[in-house]
Amino acid sequence: MGHTLFEKIWSRHVVHELPDGSVLLYIDRHLVHEVTSPQAFEGMRLSGRNIRRPELTFSTMDHNVATTEDRLDIKDPISKAQVDALEENCNDFGVSLFGLGDPHQGIVHVIGPEMGITLPGLTIVCGDSHTSTHGAFGALAFGIGTSEVEHVLVTQTLKQHEPGTYKVEFTGRLSPHVFSKDMVLKLIGTIGTAGGAGHVFEYCGEAVRSLSMEARMSMCNMSIEGGARAGMIAPDDTTIQYITGIDRPYAPTGAALDRAIAYWRSLPTDEDAEFDRTISIDAASLVPQVTWGTNPGMVIDIDQPVPGPDAGGIYSRTDVENALEYIGLTPGTRMTDVPVDVVFIGSCTNSRIEDLRQAAAVMEGRKKADHVELLVVPGSDQVRRQAEAEGLDRIFKAAGGEWRYAGCSMCLGMNPDQLRPQQRCASTSNRNFEGRQGKGGRTHLVSPEMAAAAAVAGKFVDIRKWLDR
Amino acid sequence: MTPFTQHTGIVATLNRSNVDTDQIIPKQFLKSIKRTGYGPNAFFDWRYGADGSPDPDFELNHPRFKGRSILVARNNFGCGSSREHAVWALAQDGYAVIIAPWKAAGGTRLPAYADIFRSNAMKNGLLLIELAEEEVNVIFALVERYEGLEATVDLPEQKIIFLAPEHVIYGFDIEASDKAQLIGGLDDIDLTLQYESEIGRFEQQHDPFLSPPE
């Protein structure tokens, strides 16, 4: 029997099989940010241990940084202490830091791929659940807690039980104005936020093959929202073109690149490999998605009404009632009748150049509705520079939006960019949990095109009809 | 890590599924660089009103749960963000044991806890018990019926005894290695460092870009 992409990478990274059936898994790249690492570095100091492979460890500041012009002058003393701690820890332990003001600074899951740190066939971890993003390259990438961050710093390994494999096939081709964000939201809406628990998704099928790397990253990014440990897509010409098409400082070159490509070509799942679980979704029939509730599985087609407590499906009556009360919607409401106060385009899900191009294409020559606040936050300083070179920033500014510097921004409200209570937001981010974007804030997850259109219309629209009207 | 063998405490219920780690410890408390001080901020947005006083409508604020140390919730507890701060907050708020049900869905069994949360809990000696949905329903009913209901968790015996007049007892499963680690209060990094020479040998033959084997 053949092997899956996941199995090929897993077996190559087993350092030792432990008596209880788990393994010590070798970690090739460790990404670090300011929020989940300070206690890990402190733990090393307290126990007198040292970092094993500093050259495989890369860090940046993204979660609690401001995204405004004056971001280098951090006003919140607690945020500043955390940023200062990362700088000191990186200095003391010899870890590369792409800090505030560095041309490579940005959201950790945007800069890893950008710099060639993320490559096919690697194991990659970070103290952040959206580490699943890097699986878009055919890497095994997953989020870990702070104790595990310390474990990787000291041993460059993790103790892991082998997860199951879960094939997620998207057949057919996407319709216009339907994106990988809609594909992954549809998946989560179908299986629920625990549906993939204990498993690693492998996304495949015609609709996945035709996605760009940026779109693949958006899809793998949200694997964790479906409960999966990781999400992966087999490397192909698109992957190799992304890595080798421009200079990526940490990617292999010359003979090392040739050897690496030969390895990457060997990674795709064998035809006779078997998965523990399988789901198939018809991509051709997908329409734009919008979440109505308080987790990413509470999602509907844009042309469907908001469900009620009796709708059945994967959520209990209590779950639906709690969600509707928080989000302030009544059953039967059409989402296209729901006004928005804020539009956020950004986050590790949708802040890459292609996402910004899609949003800008909708906004070009248009203005945001007067009552809407529009925030556009590139995922990295490099994305920001490229967007400016393409004139995208001028489109957003002319539409009345704010064009910011790189960071996690309003995705998680750990920094000055937050919703106020009851504000309703069309967001390209990944979590519509209660209070996620600010206490009392109401989040609806959508694609960049849908978010941009909501900013112009002042309410949710069906992008397919709205553009053609 | 403090060894875990037996624990007796008051049982509190939280009738919610998919409790995410953003709810367990909201983002504003993640700016700390310490491992301590999170307890009073567990479930902050649900727990406190706008004026900062405890919200009487939040289940866990009910006087009957005063001094509780065992939390019973619904399926998929601890989903979302990987923040270990959620486990620190629960432990520092006085919880020693969490109980939640696995759930059958489409012929498969969805675990009671999200993967990263489960791993984080283990590293901090917070015992997660997974029971069947019917069993958790019975516990909710018992807690409703008997104010101040206590339970005794016996990890070596893998059972939990609810000290109600009807003395309900449930057995639970746990990975043998997790059990040994919790009972021994063992440090994961120390355990791994026993294999340091294997790690070194592995690194000798492991290509950083992962070219195919020669």
Side-chain angles (χ1 to χ4, degrees), chain A residues 35 77 164 170 222 234 260 264 329 332 347 372:
Chain A
V35 175
F170 286 95
M222 290 193 66
W264 300 344
L329 290 177
S347 86
V372 170

Side-chain angles (χ1 to χ4, degrees), chain A residues 12-16 18-20 24 26 28-29 35-36 38-39 49 52-53 64 76 78-79 81-82 85 119 121-122 127-129 143-148 150-151 154-157 159 161 193-195 197-199 224-225 227-229 250-252 256 259-260 262-264 277 295 314-315 318-319 322 412-414 418 431 433-436 438-439, chain B residues 15-18 20-23 26-36 38 44-46 48-50 74-76 79-85 88 103 105-106 108-111 113-116 119-120 122-124 175-178 181 187-193 195-203 205-214:
Chain A
R12 191 128 184 217
H13 287 82
V14 173
V15 174
H16 189 83
L18 297 163
D20 66 357
L24 274 186
Y26 197 75
D28 293 316
R29 304 287 185 270
V35 175
T36 56
Q39 296 86 353
R49 295 174 180 135
R52 185 176 182 89
R53 299 294 300 273
N64 80 30
D76 173 0
I78 308 172
S79 291
Q82 201 168 53
L119 296 169
L122 300 182
D128 191 291
S129 61
I144 57 177
T146 298
S147 293
E148 289 179 311
E150 184 178 344
H151 194 283
V154 176
T155 71
Q156 204 58 37
T157 65
K159 185 184 164 197
H161 285 278
T193 54
H199 289 72
I224 182 70
E225 312 310 337
R229 201 77 177 89
Y250 293 92
R259 283 204 313 277
Y263 170 55
W264 300 344
R277 294 172 69 184
N295 74 49
I314 53 179
Y315 296 103
T318 314
D319 290 341
N322 285 340
L412 85 169
M414 253 198 90
Q418 297 192 24
R431 287 190 175 134
F433 295 155
E434 290 182 27
R436 170 80 178 180
K439 186 168 179 171
Chain B
N15 190 19
R16 286 185 180 248
S17 55
N18 303 302
D20 60 78
T21 54
D22 273 80
Q23 299 317 317
K27 69 270 171 198
Q28 65 267 34
F29 304 109
L30 306 190
K31 294 181 184 180
S32 167
I33 56 173
K34 303 288 179 206
R35 260 180 198 264
T36 52
Y38 299 96
F44 186 88
D45 286 356
W46 289 342
Y48 302 107
R74 298 294 185 181
N75 182 253
N76 199 28
C79 62
S81 158
S82 63
R83 58 189 71 170
E84 193 164 321
H85 311 63
W88 300 335
K103 191 174 170 184
T108 60
R109 182 173 154 158
L110 301 182
Y113 304 95
D115 291 337
I116 307 176
S119 163
N120 288 341
M122 262 302 297
K123 314 282 184 207
N124 290 275
E175 292 271 355
S177 58
D178 289 353
Q181 197 177 345
D187 179 276
D188 248 2
I189 298 178
D190 278 342
L191 291 174
T192 297
L193 287 175
Y195 301 102
E196 207 170 358
S197 56
E198 277 91 338
I199 298 171
R201 277 201 295 279
F202 181 90
E203 284 173 330
Q205 50 82 38
H206 189 67
D207 182 324
F209 293 125
L210 291 177
S211 53
E214 303 282 321

Side-chain angles (χ1 to χ4, degrees), chain A residues 31-73:
Chain A
L31 308 174
V32 171
H33 65 76
E34 78 278 18
V35 175
T36 56
S37 67
Q39 296 86 353
F41 284 107
E42 187 65 9
M44 280 203 294
R45 284 197 186 91
L46 289 173
S47 58
R49 295 174 180 135
N50 204 355
I51 184 169
R52 185 176 182 89
R53 299 294 300 273
E55 75 282 15
L56 301 181
T57 313
F58 302 87
S59 78
T60 189
M61 298 160 180
D62 52 6
H63 281 62
N64 80 30
V65 302
T67 56
T68 41
E69 190 77 45
D70 59 352
R71 69 201 192 288
L72 300 182
D73 174 27

Side-chain angles (χ1 to χ4, degrees), chain A residues 145-327:
Chain A
T146 298
S147 293
E148 289 179 311
V149 169
E150 184 178 344
H151 194 283
V152 176
L153 288 171
V154 176
T155 71
Q156 204 58 37
T157 65
L158 275 177
K159 185 184 164 197
Q160 292 283 301
H161 285 278
E162 185 168 347
T165 53
Y166 198 145
K167 178 180 178 179
V168 180
E169 183 182 31
F170 286 95
T171 58
R173 287 188 161 267
L174 290 174
S175 305
H177 311 300
V178 181
F179 301 93
S180 65
K181 181 71 165 282
D182 302 304
M183 295 163 76
V184 70
L185 281 171
K186 186 64 168 186
L187 169 70
I188 301 164
T190 306
I191 65 171
T193 54
H199 289 72
V200 169
F201 291 144
E202 182 180 336
Y203 302 104
C204 60
E206 187 185 359
V208 174
R209 280 292 126 232
S210 55
L211 295 175
S212 68
M213 287 316 293
E214 285 84 353
R216 292 179 189 187
M217 285 188 252
S218 304
M219 173 173 259
C220 289
N221 172 274
M222 290 193 66
S223 302
I224 182 70
E225 312 310 337
R229 201 77 177 89
M232 311 172 79
I233 296 173
D236 58 11
D237 290 345
T238 305
T239 320
I240 292 167
Q241 173 58 30
Y242 178 95
I243 295 166
T244 59
I246 64 169
D247 177 42
R248 302 199 183 274
Y250 293 92
T253 53
L257 176 63
D258 294 340
R259 283 204 313 277
I261 288 177
Y263 170 55
W264 300 344
R265 294 279 188 204
S266 76
L267 287 171
T269 293
D270 299 328
E271 262 182 36
D272 56 344
E274 284 179 15
F275 289 83
D276 297 313
R277 294 172 69 184
T278 301
I279 188 173
S280 183
I281 294 173
D282 175 20
S285 66
L286 289 184
V287 306
Q289 303 288 298
V290 56
T291 62
W292 58 267
T294 51
N295 74 49
M298 293 176 161
V299 64
I300 46 175
D301 295 352
I302 183 65
D303 53 9
Q304 294 295 304
V306 172
D310 298 322
I314 53 179
Y315 296 103
S316 72
R317 202 185 161 82
T318 314
D319 290 341
V320 174
E321 282 169 353
N322 285 340
L324 288 174
E325 188 189 337
Y326 180 86
I327 211 84

Side-chain angles (χ1 to χ4, degrees), chain B residues 107-164:
Chain B
T108 60
R109 182 173 154 158
L110 301 182
Y113 304 95
D115 291 337
I116 307 176
F117 179 81
R118 177 187 292 270
S119 163
N120 288 341
M122 262 302 297
K123 314 282 184 207
N124 290 275
L126 177 67
L127 176 62
L128 305 183
I129 296 179
E130 188 173 54
L131 296 177
E133 206 157 8
E134 311 84 72
E135 294 169 335
V136 171
N137 287 339
V138 170
I139 300 170
F140 267 86
L142 285 176
V143 169
E144 178 82 33
R145 197 174 313 143
Y146 302 109
E147 186 158 342
L149 177 76
E150 288 192 292
T152 294
V153 177
D154 187 324
L155 179 55
E157 293 293 317
Q158 294 181 215
K159 64 182 182 188
I160 178 162
I161 305 153
F162 291 87
L163 307 172

